[in-house]
């Protein structure tokens, strides 16, 4: 079988020159027939190996404040506006330090503090301040934060505290965002990302595939991320949570998820592309392997925020089997 023209183009443009595919070409990849998916993953894998190398970045996350969020993101079981089984909880500093040490022991280089909030208030900023100091005293690991929409002053303070990377997802295409949240806008999220970059922190920004967006909007989103140029893109697949407005949506099919992985890698040849939530549901064990051989070069170990992930050892064993070394801390500092 001859390769589809878009994959020939991807070899010449993305693999050879490191220039990501544009929106129209990304859409073509998202529309490839099932028979061409393996070849798309193969090209995406070669792109990742050429422009990022074989290392895989391993990251742990911990929720410092779970549930009770005032926002209404329709996919999120942490919104206080929906009747979901998630209850509001805050973690204390010793528990955070313990989680950071456990994460570092897996070989992970990033440890991300996540809070379910619109943006941090004074109490949360004080908790982050204390946590940053205690973690840095206890263990050598990069600390990232995901605390929602920031003010300029908060971005400045987080940078001064030594936050290495800040996560704030655009979640979906700008044109589709009003269908997933009404309490804030895509542009407000974008402004926070600009502040993060301005203050010298690495930008981590991704989203969720399978929230009812069209394939054209999926391609639009990939192109918008490419325009932003984040250091890391967490790629999630919707795991429809009970009680949320998106509870009734069907999970993305495995073939569509694999097309999305290949397409996002071909749009973003140099970024850290991370498997985040929903991969167990959408891809299972076989798909996880295909993803890591199809352009993914970062994983979260252990549990996600409100759903259980895979056993960390299973992921680490898989990386070893595939001869993909875990990226060392010294390479990221
Ligand atoms: S702002 Fe974050 S925690 Fe709050 S509802 Fe939206 S996704 Fe969930």
């Amino acid at each position: 079988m001859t390769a589809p023209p878009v994959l020939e183009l991807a070899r010449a443009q993305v693999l050879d020159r490191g220039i990501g595919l544009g929106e129209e070409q990304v859409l073509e990849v998202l529309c490839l027939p099932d028979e061409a998916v393996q070849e798309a993953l193969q090209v995406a894998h070669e792109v990742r190996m050429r422009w990022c190398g074989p290392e895989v970045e391993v990251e742990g996350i911990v929720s410092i404040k779970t549930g009770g969020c005032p926002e209404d993101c329709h996919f999120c079981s942490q919104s206080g506006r929906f009747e979901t089984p998630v209850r509001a909880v805050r973690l204390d500093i010793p528990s955070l330090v313990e989680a950071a040490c456990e994460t570092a022991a897996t070989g992970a280089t990033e440890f991300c503090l996540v809070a379910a909030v619109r943006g941090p208030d004074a109490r949360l900023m004080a908790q982050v301040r204390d946590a940053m100091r205690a973690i840095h005293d206890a263990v050598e690991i990069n600390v990232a934060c995901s605390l929602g929409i920031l003010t300029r002053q908060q971005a400045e303070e987080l940078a001064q505290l030594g936050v290495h990377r800040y996560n704030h997802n655009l979640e979906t295409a700008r044109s589709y965002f009003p269908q997933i949240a009404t309490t804030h806008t895509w542009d407000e999220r974008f402004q926070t990302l600009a502040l993060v970059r301005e203050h010298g922190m690495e930008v981590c920004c991704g989203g969720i595939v399978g929230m009812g967006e069209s394939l054209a909007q999926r391609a639009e989103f990939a192109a918008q991320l490419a325009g932003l140029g984040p250091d890391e893109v967490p790629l999630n697949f919707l795991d429809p949570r009970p009680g949320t407005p998106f509870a009734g949506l069907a999970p993305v099919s495995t073939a569509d998820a694999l097309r999305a992985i290949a397409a996002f890698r071909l749009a973003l040849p140099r970024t850290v592309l991370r498997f985040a939530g929903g991969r167990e549901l959408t891809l299972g064990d076989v798909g996880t392997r295909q993803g890591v051989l199809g352009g993914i070069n970062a994983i979260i170990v252990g549990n996600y925020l409100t759903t259980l992930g895979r056993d960390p050892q299973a992921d680490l064993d898989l990386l070893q089997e595939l001869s993909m070394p875990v990226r060392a801390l010294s390479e990221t500092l």
Side-chain angles (χ1 to χ4, degrees):
M1 189 182 97
T2 53
V6 71
L7 296 183
E8 298 283 4
L9 175 75
R11 283 192 182 279
Q13 177 181 316
V14 193
L15 184 58
D16 293 348
R17 293 158 61 212
I19 301 170
L21 293 183
E23 186 173 334
E24 279 178 31
Q25 289 78 37
V26 171
L27 180 56
E28 284 183 49
V29 175
L30 292 171
C31 295
L32 283 173
D34 286 356
E35 319 77 82
V37 170
Q38 283 308 324
E39 181 159 6
L41 290 168
Q42 178 60 31
V43 180
H45 179 58
E46 289 174 33
V47 165
R48 167 267 173 122
M49 294 299 266
R50 165 102 196 251
W51 296 101
C52 303
E55 294 82 18
V56 173
E57 186 179 278
V58 176
E59 178 174 3
I61 57 177
V62 69
S63 176
I64 55 175
K65 190 242 160 202
T66 306
C69 179
E71 302 304 290
D72 74 344
C73 307
H74 294 6
F75 56 86
C76 184
S77 56
Q78 302 206 60
S79 168
R81 294 170 184 252
F82 317 133
E83 289 294 324
T84 75
V86 173
R87 292 285 149 261
V89 181
R90 272 180 193 262
L91 268 195
D92 58 22
I93 303 294
S95 308
L96 294 177
V97 172
E98 194 184 322
C101 291
E102 282 172 9
T103 300
T106 67
T109 51
E110 292 281 330
F111 180 64
C112 187
L113 306 175
V114 182
V117 289
R118 175 186 169 86
D121 58 12
R123 181 177 168 204
L124 183 61
M125 285 300 285
Q127 193 186 2
V128 168
R129 214 175 291 134
D130 292 346
M132 290 289 299
R133 290 192 185 119
I135 292 168
H136 278 146
D137 284 350
V139 62
E140 207 176 326
I141 193 162
N142 289 322
V143 183
C145 284
S146 180
L147 312 172
I149 295 168
L150 297 177
T151 64
R152 173 170 292 277
Q153 202 185 351
Q154 288 168 335
E156 197 178 318
E157 181 174 355
L158 292 174
Q160 280 168 2
L161 285 170
V163 171
H164 173 248
R165 191 179 286 173
Y166 193 84
N167 163 261
H168 196 48
N169 291 338
L170 288 169
E171 305 298 10
T172 193
R174 188 166 186 261
S175 68
Y176 192 62
F177 196 87
Q179 268 68 58
I180 70 145
T182 63
T183 48
H184 60 272
T185 63
W186 193 93
D187 290 342
E188 281 177 279
R189 287 182 174 246
F190 196 87
Q191 281 156 18
T192 286
L193 295 161
L195 282 174
V196 167
R197 174 157 293 150
E198 192 185 319
H199 287 87
M201 291 176 279
E202 287 192 2
V203 173
C204 170
C205 175
I208 306 177
V209 168
M211 295 195 288
E213 76 281 7
S214 66
L215 291 182
Q217 285 167 321
R218 215 170 274 177
E220 176 195 335
F221 181 44
Q224 285 162 343
L225 285 175
L228 174 71
D231 299 281
E232 173 182 349
V233 171
L235 195 58
N236 301 269
F237 297 100
L238 182 72
D239 181 355
R241 304 311 299 160
T244 64
F246 286 167
L249 289 182
V252 176
S253 72
T254 300
D256 276 349
L258 294 174
R259 272 185 275 265
I261 290 169
F264 277 66
R265 169 54 75 200
L266 294 175
L268 296 148
R270 294 161 205 267
T271 194
V272 173
L273 187 59
R274 168 154 60 88
F275 252 151
R279 75 175 147 126
E280 292 75 15
L281 181 77
T282 310
L283 294 169
D285 280 356
V286 176
T288 298
R289 175 185 292 264
Q290 284 183 300
V292 178
L293 288 172
I296 294 287
N297 67 335
I299 55 170
I300 289 184
V301 285
N303 296 340
Y304 305 129
L305 300 174
T306 58
T307 57
L308 291 178
R310 278 155 53 92
D311 171 9
Q313 199 53 49
D315 282 331
L316 297 172
D317 289 348
L318 176 64
L319 298 183
Q320 195 171 25
E321 182 198 325
L322 298 175
S323 302
M324 291 185 185
V326 172
R327 188 197 276 189
L329 189 63
S330 57
E331 292 169 37
T332 70
L333 292 173

